[in-house]
Amino acid sequence: MAPTYIVLLGPPGAGKGTQAKRIAQKLELVHVSTGDLFRENLKNETELGQLAQQYMNKGELVPDDVTVRMVEERLSRPDCKEGAVMDGFPRTAAQAKAFDELLKKFDSAVKVVPYIKVPDEVLVERLSGRWMSQSGRVYHEKYNPPTVKWIDDIDGSPLYQREDDKPETVRHRIDVYNEQTAPLIDYYRNQGLLVEIDGTQPIEDVTEDIMQAVKEA
Ligand code: ADP
Ligand code: ADP
């Protein structure tokens, strides 16, 4: 069977990372987050990490060519042979087109695009209370707190706040999203792939709606 690719679309703080982890587990697919991949490169001080850092700290997008190459490398690994839940990619029209071409090489195509809708004013509050684990698990001090403050429930490692989750950078990231990523809503709607999901619901209900959208696709 052709591999399955699901693209989670939505502004920063909509809940893509949170949902991608849950959906990937249920569907036994790999969760591919370009943000997590860049942060891993940053931690390991690779050349790609150093390049990406300049953009990430300012809340700008990393250039398309490097991003697409990184995704191609990731999706070519054996653990992705059944497909992947894409979180944070594609983020520009050029990336979306390159992704379509890449999936053709894998004899596949995007299956469905759940678009997690959350109003702007909620996003800043979500991101300023976001606590992350090294492995990319996501918590919120109020909405999804870990059992012990600042400690990951699963592996006991310390949680941290992202440098780019400061309110000034967050507001810029939302502008960048509106300019460069929001046009993908129409791109996927025109292909009949878009399903709107109410992202203001509790985490479990959002997951249920996304699973329903995947089943019906
Ligand atoms: P994204 O990957 O789209 O930037 P995240 O999954 O990292 O979003 O979520 C952003 C923040 O909002 C995190 O702190 C997360 O715990 C919290 N969050 C995610 N989904 C919900 C929800 N449905 N209700 C309340 N808070 C949420
Ligand atoms: P968010 O919580 O906003 O969804 P991510 O963790 O997905 O944040 O991304 C963090 C940063 O990594 C972005 O602000 C950007 O600098 C970079 N990045 C992630 N994905 C992409 C992408 N597809 N294209 C370009 N830059 C990206």
Side-chain angles (χ1 to χ4, degrees), residues 73-111:
E73 192 278 322
R74 181 66 191 91
L75 292 180
S76 302
R77 285 191 230 161
D79 63 333
C80 289
K81 70 177 191 308
E82 308 291 332
V85 179
M86 305 303 296
D87 158 19
F89 179 92
R91 245 183 168 92
T92 64
Q95 289 180 15
K97 290 198 183 90
F99 190 47
D100 286 346
E101 290 306 310
L102 177 62
L103 296 192
K104 273 188 210 158
K105 280 206 247 171
F106 298 149
D107 290 319
S108 190
V110 174
K111 182 184 171 77

Side-chain angles (χ1 to χ4, degrees), residues 16-204:
K16 299 182 298 298
T18 302
Q19 297 299 332
K21 281 241 181 299
R22 298 168 59 92
I23 304 291
Q25 193 174 22
K26 285 182 194 286
L27 298 171
E28 294 184 36
L29 293 174
V30 172
H31 167 206
V32 173
S33 155
T34 40
D36 286 351
L37 290 173
F38 285 132
R39 279 185 290 276
E40 226 173 85
N41 273 280
L42 230 141
K43 199 175 85 196
N44 297 331
E45 297 180 355
T46 68
E47 221 172 286
L48 175 62
Q50 275 158 11
L51 177 110
Q53 185 171 30
Q54 310 161 34
Y55 297 94
M56 293 172 83
N57 283 350
K58 287 187 282 190
E60 301 281 343
L61 296 184
V62 180
D64 287 332
D65 55 338
V66 251
T67 305
V68 168
R69 244 181 290 136
M70 178 179 74
V71 168
E72 174 158 20
E73 192 278 322
R74 181 66 191 91
L75 292 180
S76 302
R77 285 191 230 161
D79 63 333
C80 289
K81 70 177 191 308
E82 308 291 332
V85 179
M86 305 303 296
D87 158 19
F89 179 92
R91 245 183 168 92
T92 64
Q95 289 180 15
K97 290 198 183 90
F99 190 47
D100 286 346
E101 290 306 310
L102 177 62
L103 296 192
K104 273 188 210 158
K105 280 206 247 171
F106 298 149
D107 290 319
S108 190
V110 174
K111 182 184 171 77
V112 62
V113 181
Y115 163 40
I116 309 176
K117 276 179 87 166
V118 173
D120 281 4
E121 59 274 15
V122 179
L123 300 175
V124 182
E125 201 205 348
R126 281 198 185 175
L127 293 176
S128 52
R130 171 157 73 179
W131 296 352
M132 298 272 292
S133 76
Q134 289 297 340
S135 58
R137 263 184 297 277
V138 195
Y139 297 88
H140 191 281
E141 61 175 337
K142 210 156 96 196
Y143 304 126
N144 185 26
T147 312
V148 181
K149 258 191 172 181
W150 296 105
I151 298 292
D152 184 28
D153 284 349
I154 309 293
D155 62 18
S157 65
L159 303 176
Y160 71 99
Q161 264 182 314
R162 273 169 49 179
E163 195 50 42
D164 58 346
D165 278 347
K166 291 188 301 244
E168 317 85 80
T169 322
V170 163
R171 272 186 279 272
H172 183 58
R173 281 161 59 207
I174 294 171
D175 290 342
V176 169
Y177 166 83
N178 284 326
E179 253 165 58
Q180 303 197 52
T181 310
L184 297 186
I185 298 167
D186 277 342
Y187 179 82
Y188 287 119
R189 188 182 277 134
N190 291 339
Q191 295 181 37
L193 294 173
L194 197 86
V195 182
E196 292 193 11
I197 306 286
D198 175 4
T200 63
Q201 307 174 87
I203 291 171
E204 292 73 20

